[in-house]
Amino acid sequence: MESATYKGYVLWGHAIREQQEILERERYASSGTVTKGGKFVEASGILEVVDSELDAEQLGLEWARAWVDSHA
């Protein structure tokens, strides 16, 4: 889980490991969460499934920044 502070909000990018079959490569579902003052504000749900944990976290953070820009 990756976090960032943006315009007074704390944003979280999540990577949820998915593996359908033992022989398949690991994939990561991305999601984002927005908090302010230690309280939950909004969450994205699953945004996309990608090959990298870091990519998944970054997608979540990008979503959270966009949410703040359109709602703050």
Side-chain angles (χ1 to χ4, degrees):
M1 191 168 24
E2 185 75 24
S3 68
T5 302
Y6 184 69
K7 296 185 179 180
Y9 292 83
V10 178
L11 314 178
W12 300 90
H14 308 281
I16 303 132
R17 193 178 95 191
E18 295 187 338
Q19 186 175 4
Q20 301 298 326
E21 301 291 331
I22 296 297
L23 298 177
E24 288 185 13
R25 68 176 186 242
E26 290 182 348
R27 305 223 354 143
Y28 297 87
S30 61
S31 67
T33 303
V34 178
T35 62
K36 188 167 189 175
K39 296 184 180 185
F40 172 83
V41 176
E42 188 63 65
S44 69
I46 300 300
L47 299 167
E48 190 173 336
V49 178
V50 296
D51 293 331
S52 156
E53 184 175 7
L54 180 60
D55 288 346
E57 292 172 344
Q58 292 303 311
L59 284 169
L61 287 173
E62 288 172 19
W63 173 88
R65 282 187 200 96
W67 187 93
V68 169
D69 287 343
S70 66
H71 290 85

